[in-house]
Amino acid sequence: MSAKTRIAIFASGTGSNYEAIDRAIQAGDLDAEIVLLVCDSPGAKVVAKAKKNQLASFVFDPKTYPNKQAFEIDIVHKLKAYQVEWIVLAGYMRLIGPTLLNQYQRRIINIHPSLLPAFPGLDAVGQALDAGVKVSGVTIHYVDSGMDTGEIIAQEAVPVKPGMTKAELQTLIQKVEHKLYPSTIQQLILPESIRL
Ligand code: GAR
């Protein structure tokens, strides 16, 4: 029997990428186990989804901590307790600080709804529409200390049709995200999933 790679999902919002990764695992397309949800927004929909799936979660309110280092120390303790090997950011709308980066070097990945380096930061879909681009897309990258700046792992283009609304483009982009994220994670963990 091979041991499954233990991943933590970090999310702040709806959690559709969390659900897509979970579905891929259930379908046998991804040899990983989601062992923990980390969420910085107690009312987020993703929290209820994790609870329904009986997934352990660490949900915190950053306002109750003096600074980023303080809550990241708590996060690292949780990650160690759950023996997390990879951190998968799925709509976690917060920069990762040195406390976490140093513990999980090249083990933290993020998904972003544009073809980086174009349109980093908030509302990437709106930014792309405002710029009038004909092609946008999805990027998966390693996380560094910058805003959506780490080394790119995978990208997929999404055509932007004339007159497309933000909601329409968002839907197309998320459809791509929900396939590209699980398959990219599988490629990354492949060498680990065949260990005894
Ligand atoms: C996703 O579209 C993801 O690309 C984006 O947040 C959304 C989360 O959706 N992330 C960023 O913009 C990061 N800069 P979800 O909660 O339904 O998975």
Side-chain angles (χ1 to χ4, degrees):
M1 270 285 284
S2 62
K4 291 199 182 290
T5 301
R6 299 170 69 82
I7 65 177
I9 302 282
F10 282 39
S12 307
T14 308
S16 70
N17 279 284
Y18 154 61
E19 289 178 297
I21 293 164
D22 190 49
R23 273 198 303 275
I25 290 171
Q26 304 307 327
D29 296 332
L30 175 51
D31 299 316
E33 189 181 350
I34 304 171
V35 294
L36 184 68
L37 170 76
V38 173
C39 178
D40 62 347
S41 177
K45 286 186 182 155
V46 69
V47 176
K49 288 175 179 174
K51 197 171 174 193
K52 194 167 156 239
N53 291 343
Q54 295 178 309
L55 171 63
S57 61
F58 175 59
V59 183
F60 66 99
D61 181 351
K63 289 198 291 289
T64 62
Y65 287 86
N67 52 40
K68 188 190 290 281
Q69 186 189 19
F71 64 72
E72 286 198 344
I73 286 172
D74 274 3
I75 293 174
V76 167
H77 283 142
K78 281 281 175 191
L79 296 172
K80 299 288 175 198
Y82 282 88
Q83 297 171 290
V84 169
E85 296 163 287
W86 283 84
I87 295 174
V88 173
L89 307 188
Y92 184 69
M93 304 310 270
R94 196 168 284 282
L95 286 177
I96 302 295
T99 306
L100 266 167
L101 284 172
N102 291 340
Q103 291 287 329
Y104 283 89
Q105 281 180 24
R106 281 181 83 79
R107 292 261 166 175
I108 310 178
I109 59 172
N110 182 42
I111 191 160
H112 184 76
S114 75
L115 292 177
L116 290 171
F119 315 125
L122 292 177
D123 192 20
V125 177
Q127 289 186 59
L129 281 179
D130 290 348
V133 295
K134 303 292 179 216
V135 178
S136 191
V138 174
T139 302
I140 295 164
H141 63 95
Y142 287 106
V143 171
D144 63 13
S145 58
M147 172 83 79
D148 303 318
T149 50
E151 182 190 327
I152 291 170
I153 303 166
Q155 288 188 308
E156 192 170 322
V158 173
V160 183
K161 303 215 176 73
M164 207 176 227
T165 65
K166 193 164 130 180
E168 287 165 346
L169 181 54
Q170 182 112 30
T171 301
L172 282 185
I173 282 181
Q174 288 229 313
K175 217 172 151 192
V176 170
E177 289 188 336
H178 297 164
K179 285 212 161 84
L180 189 63
Y181 218 2
S183 62
T184 303
I185 296 167
Q186 176 66 7
Q187 290 304 312
L188 286 171
I189 68 171
L190 211 53
E192 296 168 11
S193 62
I194 49 176
R195 70 199 159 176
L196 291 177

